Amino acid sequence: MEQFDIVVIGSGPGGYVAAIRAAQSGYKTAIIEKYSTLGGTCTNVGCIPTKALLDSTHHYHDALHKFEVQGIDIQGLKLNFKQLYKRKSEVVTKNTQGLNYLMKKNKISVIQGLAAFKDDTTLHVTGQDGAIRNIQAGKYIIATGSKPATISGVVLDKKRIITSTEALSLEEQPKTMVIIGGGVIGVEMASIFSRIGTKVTILEYADRLIPTMDSESGIALQKLLAKEGIEILLKQSVFKTENAGDTAKVWYKDTAGQEQSLTADYILVAVGRKAYTDQLGLENTKVQLDKRGMIVVNEALQTTAPNIYAIGDVIGGAMLAHKAEEEATFVVERIHGGNPHIHYDRIPSVVYSWPEVASVGATEEELKKKQVAYNVGKFPFSANARARAGMDTEGFVKVLVDPKYGEILGVHIVGARAADLIAQAVTAMEFEITVNEVGKISYAHPTYAEVLKEAYILASGQPSVNI
């Protein structure tokens, strides 16, 4: 029986951060991963490869549509699809190699195999060769993440009816693609393929894209994607798909309740993700699941077995890599005797389209529902000098603030560099800096960040000198 202080199950962003923090705190630590590489979904088939393709296709799209007006004449421009995907794979490899280095540096035992609880204190880990290792630990941290979900009538065959995972390993560029779901994953996949010439159609059940974000952001994003040639059909109810060999077909009911169908090279299902607890042996423990299959935890992220903790996608909430990382640090600090905290309403969300969409805090819809008074400060990128110079004038910053004290309640950005700009808003909210104060500090000129400043100024009730 191998003995450890802390064993982490799953090596995604939550898992590897938990393992590193535990080792740095002096605990004998092991991390268990069933796949041959560390990093989980995010590093291998999620955040990282997706961003690599988004970056590459963004450059290609700019070359097609912006270079000429900038005085850059490119003759014979063409896309090398295989190289596009090869670079993506190289980025992933460098990240997984970095994780291997961090495990060695921090003297963390890496165990490859499928972990299953025998009871609350013991694990069996079955390797690919069938060999079983018996492990005991004082504390366990479950960080097994999530897997793609589907809907009734839609069977994922991973050939023609695929998820984002399969989309990241295609052999050739599809001519047509239908994406079921207009959330973050669906929009990012649509952006990647549309930019390189694939005819993309999004079928979304809700009345707008990214329904969890502020409605104005979703509406603006829809207009921007439509400009790129992406067909977006809202309020569509998908009920069936079929692999037709060289193509796939999807059936849905439109807003009038009439049955419609579309045929494409691939049907990409992006309707969300569900907690991954398969074969984990939780039935042998005191750990409980809720009706959605999520692991039940308390405020300390302890399960109903006090020595077993759970973090990240497997406990629900926003399924974000950086949320899992925050929870990883939180749990280890708790185990170590600290009293950390997480403000979940101050964890940002990002859509890596272009322009990007980012938000933190409350939406207008949430404030109205709770009958909370608020002021709005909104400033467009089109009035920003840096945005004009960079030909990135689409979008806006919208700031929602408490009218009495100037507390920032929410910030929503549609525009260039939104994913990076939102960090300043998170800082202001986390440390309760008022809108008056954050609007008075000096911002370098010309920068995209000045759009934030102007929105802060307007939200505080002061006039802007730039509009």
Side-chain angles (χ1 to χ4, degrees):
M1 185 74 70
E2 298 177 71
Q3 301 283 342
F4 295 93
D5 298 322
I6 295 177
V7 168
V8 182
I9 307 171
S11 69
Y16 71 70
V17 169
I20 292 169
R21 289 300 186 200
Q24 289 172 340
S25 300
Y27 296 101
K28 183 182 179 183
T29 305
I31 189 166
I32 303 171
E33 173 56 57
K34 69 174 184 177
Y35 293 113
S36 59
T37 58
L38 300 177
T41 295
C42 178
T43 303
N44 292 281
V45 291
C47 324
I48 304 305
T50 301
K51 302 313 164 281
L53 289 178
L54 282 163
D55 190 66
S56 294
T57 57
H58 182 199
H59 291 315
Y60 177 68
H61 192 263
D62 274 359
L64 285 176
H65 301 284
K66 291 185 177 181
F67 278 15
E68 185 177 353
V69 73
Q70 292 176 335
I72 305 170
D73 188 8
I74 297 180
Q75 299 295 326
L77 178 68
K78 65 178 182 178
L79 179 76
N80 184 333
F81 187 79
K82 290 189 181 300
Q83 176 59 29
L84 185 80
Y85 270 55
K86 181 183 177 184
R87 189 190 87 88
K88 174 267 301 179
S89 298
E90 290 170 348
V91 171
V92 170
T93 298
K94 288 179 181 178
N95 278 272
T96 56
Q97 289 173 344
L99 292 177
N100 292 336
Y101 166 76
L102 289 172
M103 296 302 120
K104 291 178 181 178
K105 176 185 177 183
N106 290 283
K107 298 180 174 58
I108 298 166
S109 297
V110 177
I111 302 171
Q112 185 185 352
L114 184 65
F117 283 97
K118 181 181 178 182
D119 52 44
D120 287 344
T121 61
T122 310
L123 276 179
H124 287 331
V125 182
T126 306
Q128 290 183 342
D129 59 358
I132 296 176
R133 297 172 67 170
N134 296 309
I135 292 172
Q136 279 191 337
K139 307 288 183 183
Y140 292 98
I141 301 174
I142 300 173
T144 49
S146 61
K147 61 181 180 180
T150 188
I151 55 178
S152 178
V154 176
V155 178
L156 300 170
D157 64 18
K158 300 185 179 182
K159 295 178 180 178
R160 290 291 169 182
I161 303 166
I162 63 176
T163 69
S164 57
T165 299
E166 293 76 45
L168 292 169
S169 57
L170 294 177
E171 294 294 326
E172 59 184 21
Q173 179 187 345
K175 294 180 181 178
T176 55
M177 179 179 287
V178 174
I179 298 177
I180 304 173
V184 176
I185 296 173
V187 166
E188 291 184 358
M189 287 290 114
S191 295
I192 288 169
F193 288 101
S194 176
R195 290 171 186 170
I196 61 176
T198 300
K199 171 58 182 171
V200 177
T201 301
I202 295 176
L203 298 176
E204 168 56 43
Y205 183 76
D207 61 355
R208 67 177 187 271
L209 297 179
I210 320 296
T212 57
M213 284 189 170
D214 189 272
S215 64
E216 196 168 0
S217 296
I219 292 168
L221 178 61
Q222 179 183 342
K223 292 178 180 178
L224 293 167
L225 294 178
K227 278 185 180 181
E228 293 183 8
I230 298 172
E231 185 178 9
I232 301 167
L233 303 178
L234 303 175
K235 301 183 188 178
Q236 311 297 311
S237 180
V238 172
F239 62 90
K240 181 182 176 182
T241 57
E242 181 179 87
N243 183 331
D246 293 335
T247 60
K249 193 171 183 179
V250 57
W251 286 265
Y252 60 97
K253 291 184 179 180
D254 62 20
T255 53
Q258 298 297 311
E259 291 189 5
Q260 306 288 348
S261 65
L262 288 170
T263 299
D265 291 343
Y266 294 95
I267 307 297
L268 194 159
V269 182
V271 294
R273 299 180 66 86
K274 58 183 179 180
Y276 187 76
T277 58
D278 295 1
Q279 300 177 285
L280 193 52
L282 295 182
E283 66 276 7
N284 301 321
T285 71
K286 295 176 184 176
V287 177
Q288 295 180 0
L289 303 179
D290 66 17
K291 293 179 180 179
R292 300 171 300 159
M294 306 289 184
I295 294 178
V296 176
V297 294
N298 61 18
E299 291 183 357
L301 302 185
Q302 281 176 303
T303 69
T304 39
N307 66 311
I308 303 175
Y309 295 76
I311 61 174
D313 291 3
V314 80
I315 65 171
M319 290 189 172
L320 301 168
H322 47 283
K323 167 188 170 282
E325 292 176 351
E326 292 298 316
E327 290 173 337
T329 301
F330 172 92
V331 163
V332 174
E333 289 183 1
R334 279 278 183 152
I335 292 172
H336 202 52
N339 188 31
H341 65 275
I342 299 175
H343 292 137
Y344 283 99
D345 63 339
R346 297 170 192 176
I347 294 177
S349 297
V350 178
V351 185
Y352 293 88
S353 52
W354 196 265
E356 295 168 334
V357 183
S359 67
V360 63
T363 66
E364 279 203 72
E365 291 73 33
E366 290 168 343
L367 294 177
K368 288 175 181 177
K369 186 176 181 179
K370 295 178 181 178
Q371 297 183 324
V372 175
Y374 64 93
N375 288 341
V376 179
K378 185 177 176 184
F379 196 83
F381 277 81
S382 60
N384 175 266
R386 180 67 182 85
R388 291 195 195 106
M391 296 181 68
D392 282 314
T393 57
E394 302 279 7
F396 57 85
V397 171
K398 181 166 73 171
V399 178
L400 310 174
V401 303
D402 170 63
K404 185 174 182 180
Y405 298 108
E407 177 188 1
I408 299 172
L409 305 174
V411 176
H412 308 279
I413 307 173
V414 179
R417 311 285 185 260
D420 299 300
L421 293 176
I422 200 66
Q424 196 240 43
V426 174
T427 301
M429 292 179 65
E430 181 67 25
F431 295 100
E432 299 181 353
I433 305 171
T434 69
V435 70
N436 299 306
E437 293 165 332
V438 79
K440 289 179 180 177
I441 62 176
S442 178
Y443 292 65
H445 176 78
T447 57
Y448 293 105
E450 290 176 288
V451 182
L452 261 176
K453 178 176 183 175
E454 298 301 333
Y456 289 139
I457 290 171
L458 292 170
S460 70
Q462 300 299 312
S464 168
V465 298
N466 288 301
I467 197 170

